[in-house]
Amino acid sequence: MILDEKKRTTLADVAVAAGVSKMTASRALRGAGDVSKAKADRVRQAAKEIGYVGNHLASSLSGKRSDLIGVVVPSVENIVFAEVLAGIADGIEGSDLQPVFGVTDYDLDKEYDVVRNMLSWKPAGIIVTGLDQSDATKRILENADVPVVQIMDVDGIPVDACVGLSHFTAGKEMAEALLKMGRKRFAYVGCGLDRDTRAAKRLSGFQAALSENGLAFVATRIGRARSTVKAGRDLSAEVLASHPGLDCIYYSNDDLAVGGAYHCIANGVAVPDELVLAGFNGLDLVDSLPIRIATTRTPRREIGRAAAEIVLNSNHGGGVGTERRKQFHPAIDIGV
Amino acid sequence: MILDEKKRTTLADVAVAAGVSKMTASRALRGAGDVSKAKADRVRQAAKEIGYVGNHLASSLSGKRSDLIGVVVPSVENIVFAEVLAGIADGIEGSDLQPVFGVTDYDLDKEYDVVRNMLSWKPAGIIVTGLDQSDATKRILENADVPVVQIMDVDGIPVDACVGLSHFTAGKEMAEALLKMGRKRFAYVGCGLDRDTRAAKRLSGFQAALSENGLAFVATRIGRARSTVKAGRDLSAEVLASHPGLDCIYYSNDDLAVGGAYHCIANGVAVPDELVLAGFNGLDLVDSLPIRIATTRTPRREIGRAAAEIVLNSNHGGGVGTERRKQFHPAIDIGV
DNA sequence: GATGGTATCGATACCGGTATCGATACCAGT
DNA sequence: ACTGGTATCGATACCGGTATCGATACCATC
């Protein structure tokens, strides 16, 4: 069987078909200069006819960078990061960049491995979650000669560029808003704070606002499990049982807060009159909840898109013009 | 400044440091045979000392396949696919494969482009959602000489391998369970059925069971928007207003069903006594809902993991031994 | 001692593109 | 006619690994 050769068509095939050299074909297809319009058209035509698809591996190896864009997130199950991914997908739409992702499980050593591994693809850019990597990770990022965008957080010094919001401020502003509503007896419910440094920053911002007003948390419940609706429901039940008279619970995020809402609905706790629940993120499922809870609306998708655009610009125009620090100022929704 | 050379260390550096040839170093680091234990140790030692990290692009270009595993999903915002991604991440853990993802937005043409583009990375495998790609897409998948795993669905003929469940059966079994509860006046609420063929399969399974029992949907509401909690809430309100006396609503998925639940809670509709709500997927947020709704619990994470393992096996052992069709039989949760 | 087999290693040719630089042609200016 | 500049193209050397195959050494067997 001589027919049905499995071999993919290569640039050389295109060149032969168009009657030019490989180099000219390469230039024509990339839109690089130094090709006459006539030949460029012939090349494009030939490529289309024989169904040529470039080999990304070859061009990436040869060229300075690849068409891959590395995305490092702590978890993909968390809808927040899924939405960030969606934003990134939006941002690179039409640019033939492709996202590769790595998951760290909030583990700094794993993060180092993932980043290191990612860099060996010579990505066009790398987007990592948070500003608080280990020193070793930051070092390889700095030396990598690749645009680095740290996302979600801006409370700190970025390696290169960062896009996100101040979690300290977010926590503080939420506390101030709740204080203005007249709330006085606060509890805090959170999960995984030792690993999620952004949640910890929100907490300290919240606490700062409380102590400025001579207050402090009446109760604190920090779970070690993942942040889930179920965990929120359980922890809320515990804290409400052990500390009667609370008038507000601040959660480390919406998932937990929704769990709290479920508990209140099931047990007839009047929300928000008797008790105000406050989360963080402004997820879809919060909006349609039969009761209203407070939350900070984070622009997840926009953050992803902005990060992708920074990478794009860095590759396109040399990256000098781009903003190195893009801070969003999320709105607070008090829940009526 | 001669120091601080940006150049990454390469395999040649390792070879020199270990006093062997590039080829021997390559073999030692990969664990390929034909290397004495003494030299292999020396190479590994040298690699560690100079901090060598292999260049994936070069090895991928040279080798038969890359260390990339392509994942094509219709959407990443949908928590269902995010969980599948998490399962894939689980499955490839420890295998130095990295997932690249492409998003199709349920668009067949875009799917073709994404798949085609993905294949040009010579991935170690490609995981695509669903069995119902366009003919052109199926053709390039067949000819690609790459393990292909189609996920979520098994109602049809896979290109290569598939992992998932029968959506027709899932719909049918749910209907049968609800009929057994004595429900008689059914409504259907769904979104995006024209593009989500699996939801459409569930619907026809459900209808098949109904007509076997001499019944049919009293009302049907098909939205064109994305499946969101909000859409579910709105559509539920509509259908309940226009068709009083319904005793069960089947939704195309849990997101919509949760929206329905929110509507019922807010409007005092007794669930499940007066009205049973049935969704699909068994999401986290359904479990902790203050009222109980019916759902089919799909093993999303397991599907992802199984798909990754099929790819892994195909690369490892030649892939002959692996199962080509893995069907899960999801449990139905009737919601008390 | 000749022969055959196995274990170990390295030289060389790729993989499929891109960067670089020199060659050629054509035009304007003097 | 000669020089200089620009536009266009191609030959060649990589990019950093892996596949292939031949060379060498060492041992057992006859």
Side-chain angles (χ1 to χ4, degrees), chain A residues 76-79 82, chain B residues 75-87:
Chain A
V76 271
E77 284 177 287
N78 189 327
I79 186 69
Chain B
S75 150
V76 272
E77 283 177 287
N78 190 327
I79 187 69
V80 169
F81 296 113
E83 288 180 18
V84 171
L85 290 184

Side-chain angles (χ1 to χ4, degrees), chain B residues 82-99:
Chain B
E83 288 180 18
V84 171
L85 290 184
I88 292 174
D90 277 2
I92 60 178
E93 170 96 54
S95 75
D96 86 355
L97 246 50
Q98 286 207 296

Side-chain angles (χ1 to χ4, degrees), chain B residues 193-259:
Chain B
L193 291 205
D194 45 337
R195 306 169 312 164
D196 184 345
T197 59
R198 290 173 295 287
K201 288 174 182 175
R202 293 194 292 276
L203 172 55
S204 51
F206 199 101
Q207 284 173 317
L210 287 187
S211 70
E212 278 177 15
N213 287 270
L215 290 172
F217 281 117
V218 174
T220 297
R221 208 98 199 168
I222 297 193
R224 302 202 55 77
R226 281 181 41 232
S227 284
T228 58
V229 174
K230 177 156 179 35
R233 187 168 178 174
D234 295 345
L235 290 171
S236 300
E238 282 181 36
V239 77
L240 285 171
S242 60
H243 293 79
L246 292 174
D247 61 12
C248 182
I249 304 180
Y250 186 48
Y251 294 87
S252 59
N253 63 38
D254 275 352
D255 300 82
L256 296 175
V258 167

Side-chain angles (χ1 to χ4, degrees), chain A residues 13 69 152 177 184 197 239 260 277:
Chain A
D13 301 329
I69 170 166
M152 307 315 281
K184 296 221 156 50
T197 59
V239 77
L277 306 177

Side-chain angles (χ1 to χ4, degrees), chain A residues 111-170:
Chain A
E111 182 177 53
Y112 177 80
D113 288 339
V114 168
V115 167
R116 176 147 201 151
N117 201 26
M118 201 82 93
L119 288 175
S120 88
W121 289 101
K122 278 204 292 190
I126 182 165
I127 298 174
V128 299
T129 304
L131 288 170
D132 306 299
Q133 288 77 30
S134 71
D135 289 340
T137 306
K138 285 184 185 166
R139 206 161 335 132
I140 55 175
L141 283 172
E142 279 165 10
N143 292 333
D145 188 34
V146 157
V148 177
V149 184
Q150 287 161 292
I151 55 170
M152 307 315 281
D153 193 1
V154 298
D155 288 331
I157 300 166
V159 168
D160 180 8
C162 65
V163 180
L165 51 99
S166 166
H167 289 259
F168 183 89
T169 307

Side-chain angles (χ1 to χ4, degrees), chain A residues 11 22-23 26 30 52 62:
Chain A
L11 186 62
K22 257 175 67 176
M23 215 38 240
S26 169
R30 276 180 298 152
Y52 170 71
S62 176

